[in-house]
Amino acid sequence: MKKNLGAIAFDLMETGSAGSRAIDDAIWDVGWHGFECILAPFRAAGDWVEMIITSVRIATYQPPPGEPRPITFTAARIEGRVLEGDRAAPFLIRVGKGLAFESKRLVFLDSTGLVRRVVSLHESGWHAHYRLLRELMTQSCPDLQLNLADTITVVKLCACASRLAVDSGTYPFGTTPDFLLGSF
């Protein structure tokens, strides 16, 4: 872990609804990507880190007129720490659907709280999933950035987040729950 890394924030917050699609809860549907995106740069640098979850809040939007109520929660805030040896950096994952604004980014802050790098995650639609499927289908040894052990780590993190989740109830579609507004 770089000495000056102070914190990592991941946002995948969307204004659209789930519609009538069957979706996974916000932790497994979009929070999963937060864990992957935080873990991947460390793995790419050859660093072994551990991620510890300290708190999780969830909520479900009240659907817009004419749409069914989501069968699971649609927003989550996951907080924790990335550990490497005796160093620790906090992380924050904010995800949700049916919110007042969109934010799709991965942010690295230094130890003074200054933003050092912002990675835009604004690609939408089917393109990212298409690239993954194409890699899986056309390459004899697909490069998925994370290996099987890393994927198991992400599954364990999602399961842990689900167990720790505290339900904050519902929020009106097109608004953002207070717990998603704050940063660290």
Side-chain angles (χ1 to χ4, degrees):
M1 182 181 312
K2 300 237 185 234
K3 286 189 278 184
N4 63 348
L5 178 65
I8 305 167
F10 174 88
D11 289 346
L12 191 50
M13 300 192 293
E14 302 173 328
T15 56
S17 73
S20 58
R21 295 178 294 136
I23 61 167
D24 289 325
D25 67 52
I27 292 170
W28 289 92
D29 184 34
V30 284
W32 170 284
H33 297 297
F35 291 124
E36 288 178 317
C37 287
I38 291 170
L39 189 59
F42 293 106
R43 294 301 193 253
D47 296 336
W48 188 90
V49 297
E50 183 179 3
M51 294 176 70
I52 303 293
I53 298 169
T54 56
S55 69
V56 180
R57 302 230 357 234
I58 59 173
T60 306
Y61 69 66
Q62 298 165 342
E67 287 195 11
R69 177 172 167 72
I71 60 171
T72 187
F73 58 91
T74 54
R77 176 189 179 101
I78 306 165
E79 295 183 57
R81 296 183 312 277
V82 177
L83 308 171
E84 182 183 46
D86 62 346
R87 293 191 32 82
F91 72 81
L92 171 61
I93 296 173
R94 300 183 309 168
V95 296
K97 297 183 181 304
L99 304 173
F101 62 92
E102 291 208 3
S103 180
K104 298 179 181 183
R105 63 191 186 156
L106 178 64
V107 180
F108 295 91
L109 299 99
D110 68 17
S111 56
T112 68
L114 191 66
V115 173
R116 288 297 178 190
R117 178 127 174 117
V118 177
V119 179
S120 173
L121 303 172
H122 274 281
E123 180 179 48
S124 63
W126 53 268
H127 295 98
H129 290 113
Y130 171 77
R131 280 195 307 280
L132 172 64
L133 290 171
R134 185 167 183 233
E135 183 76 14
L136 287 169
M137 300 294 287
T138 64
Q139 301 303 312
S140 59
C141 185
D143 180 8
L144 303 179
Q145 307 303 310
L146 296 175
N147 62 30
L148 181 58
D150 297 327
T151 302
I152 291 169
T153 296
V154 171
V155 168
K156 288 179 178 180
L157 288 164
C158 287
C160 179
S162 293
R163 283 190 308 274
L164 294 175
V166 175
D167 194 343
S168 296
T170 60
Y171 59 97
F173 181 83
T175 67
T176 302
D178 289 343
F179 68 81
L180 285 182
L181 296 175
S183 58
F184 293 98

